[in-house]
Amino acid sequence: MPKGPNGEKRPADVIGNAVRIMQIATGEVDDTTPDDGKDKAAQALGAKGGRKRAESMSPERRAEIAKAAAAKRWAK
């Protein structure tokens, strides 16, 4: 069974997904994600920091980092 971004189970087929959406829309099932325990302000700052770091780098350096990451992913 596929999992969502927070590890929750999701229906694998189209009909099952449609039924799940209908249950959420009618209020039969609660669609709130559980609290992951992380500070929301810290998460926002982390996302902002990554963007600032990318802006300060040259396009060549960003390409080097991306190539290294891709090589690491495909090395498995």
Side-chain angles (χ1 to χ4, degrees), residues 18-42:
V19 169
R20 177 84 172 150
I21 291 171
M22 185 269 311
Q23 289 173 337
I24 292 168
T26 59
E28 291 179 43
V29 177
D30 189 24
D31 189 39
T32 58
T33 56
D35 184 22
D36 56 1
K38 297 180 182 174
D39 184 20
K40 301 301 177 195

Side-chain angles (χ1 to χ4, degrees), residues 2-75:
K3 294 192 182 271
N6 294 324
E8 68 272 6
K9 292 183 178 181
R10 298 282 174 95
D13 62 336
V14 176
I15 302 297
N17 198 19
V19 169
R20 177 84 172 150
I21 291 171
M22 185 269 311
Q23 289 173 337
I24 292 168
T26 59
E28 291 179 43
V29 177
D30 189 24
D31 189 39
T32 58
T33 56
D35 184 22
D36 56 1
K38 297 180 182 174
D39 184 20
K40 301 301 177 195
Q43 287 178 333
L45 282 174
K48 188 185 288 185
R51 191 177 311 117
K52 280 290 197 188
R53 178 173 179 248
E55 287 173 1
S56 68
M57 279 189 224
S58 69
E60 294 82 16
R61 179 68 178 132
R62 287 196 311 268
E64 287 174 17
I65 293 171
K67 285 177 187 175
K72 189 76 167 177
R73 281 193 305 271
W74 285 96

